[in-house]
């Protein structure tokens, strides 16, 4: 879903400490890259075999955002009072809660699903169609789940990285999950297509307006290759979401905790 992917992209840009984006420096005087660098390059190529296509789509999306979406979002924020923008954001957030509830059920988290249902009922009624987030004040936590996370939760691999036109960063698994997310979003079942399309446009513009500062962070922190920055931010954020903020720790390199070999018996200490 368009809004979900912009949320993942723009929130991912705010991640700090993206060590995966760093490049390995070649030791001076050596023409052959160290084995670790070669292994990392091979792994990177395996995860992003469509890099040529992805970079072209990244450039297209960047120009679309730079010359159309971002200026519209700036204008929207300039003319729309903050309380009105907050109500609009709450309205669309509430519409996503049924899909969030379904995915929490599919992930085996009935307690969270019950909270999602409660949020939707409370905000739709007491919150006047979701314009006011009454549920959060009542202690019902907001969750963010989608079918791509559900597939990942049950062991489906992410597959190759993929940049989708207009939608932004994704992968084969998350792209295949989009139709399910689309079907669980209530506006997509409206008979009046004109109203549905207007709602979609307003949601995208409102979401982009929320993350205007994130674009500035990207320009400042992405360095010479923002494509890699966004790619690794997306990957790390998706892993974090699938494991609810507690991703498994990577295994330490072989030999890291091995004891040092004892010194030869005839060796003497230098004094």
């Amino acid at each position: 879903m368009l809004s979900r992917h912009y949320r993942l992209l723009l929130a991912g840009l705010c991640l700090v400490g993206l060590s995966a984006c760093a490049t390995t420096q070649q030791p001076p005087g050596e023409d052959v890259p160290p084995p670790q660098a070669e292994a990392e390059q091979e792994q990177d190529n395996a995860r992003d075999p469509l890099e040529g296509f992805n970079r072209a789509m990244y450039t297209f999306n960047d120009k679309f955002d730079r010359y159309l979406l971002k200026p519209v979002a700036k204008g929207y924020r300039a003319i729309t009072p903050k309380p009105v923008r907050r109500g609009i954001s709450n309205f669309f957030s509430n519409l996503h809660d049924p899909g969030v509830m379904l995915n929490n059920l599919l992930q085996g988290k009935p307690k969270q699903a019950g909270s999602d249902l409660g949020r939707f009922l409370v905000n739709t009624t007491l919150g006047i169609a979701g314009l006011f987030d009454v549920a959060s004040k009542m202690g019902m936590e907001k969750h963010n789940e989608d079918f791509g996370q559900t597939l990942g939760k049950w062991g489906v691999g992410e597959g190759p990285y993929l940049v989708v036109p207009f939608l932004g960063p994704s992968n084969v698994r998350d792209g295949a999950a989009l139709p399910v997310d689309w079907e669980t979003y209530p506006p997509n079942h409206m008979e009046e297509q004109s109203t549905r399309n207007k709602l979609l446009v307003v949601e995208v513009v409102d979401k982009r307006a929320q993350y205007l500062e994130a674009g500035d962070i990207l320009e400042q922190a992405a360095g010479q290759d923002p494509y890699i920055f966004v790619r690794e931010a997306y990957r790390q954020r998706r892993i974090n979401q699938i494991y609810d903020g507690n991703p498994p720790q990577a295994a330490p390199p072989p030999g890291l905790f091995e004891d040092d070999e004892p010194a030869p018996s005839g060796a003497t200490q230098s004094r």
Side-chain angles (χ1 to χ4, degrees), residues 187 190-201:
M190 298 177 63
E191 294 183 1
E192 181 55 52
Q193 292 188 359
S194 176
T195 302
R196 180 194 66 189
N197 294 338
K198 290 175 182 176
L199 286 173
L200 177 61
V201 170

Side-chain angles (χ1 to χ4, degrees), residues 213-224:
E213 287 75 15
D216 298 332
I217 294 176
L218 170 61
E219 294 177 0
Q220 297 172 10
Q224 296 182 351

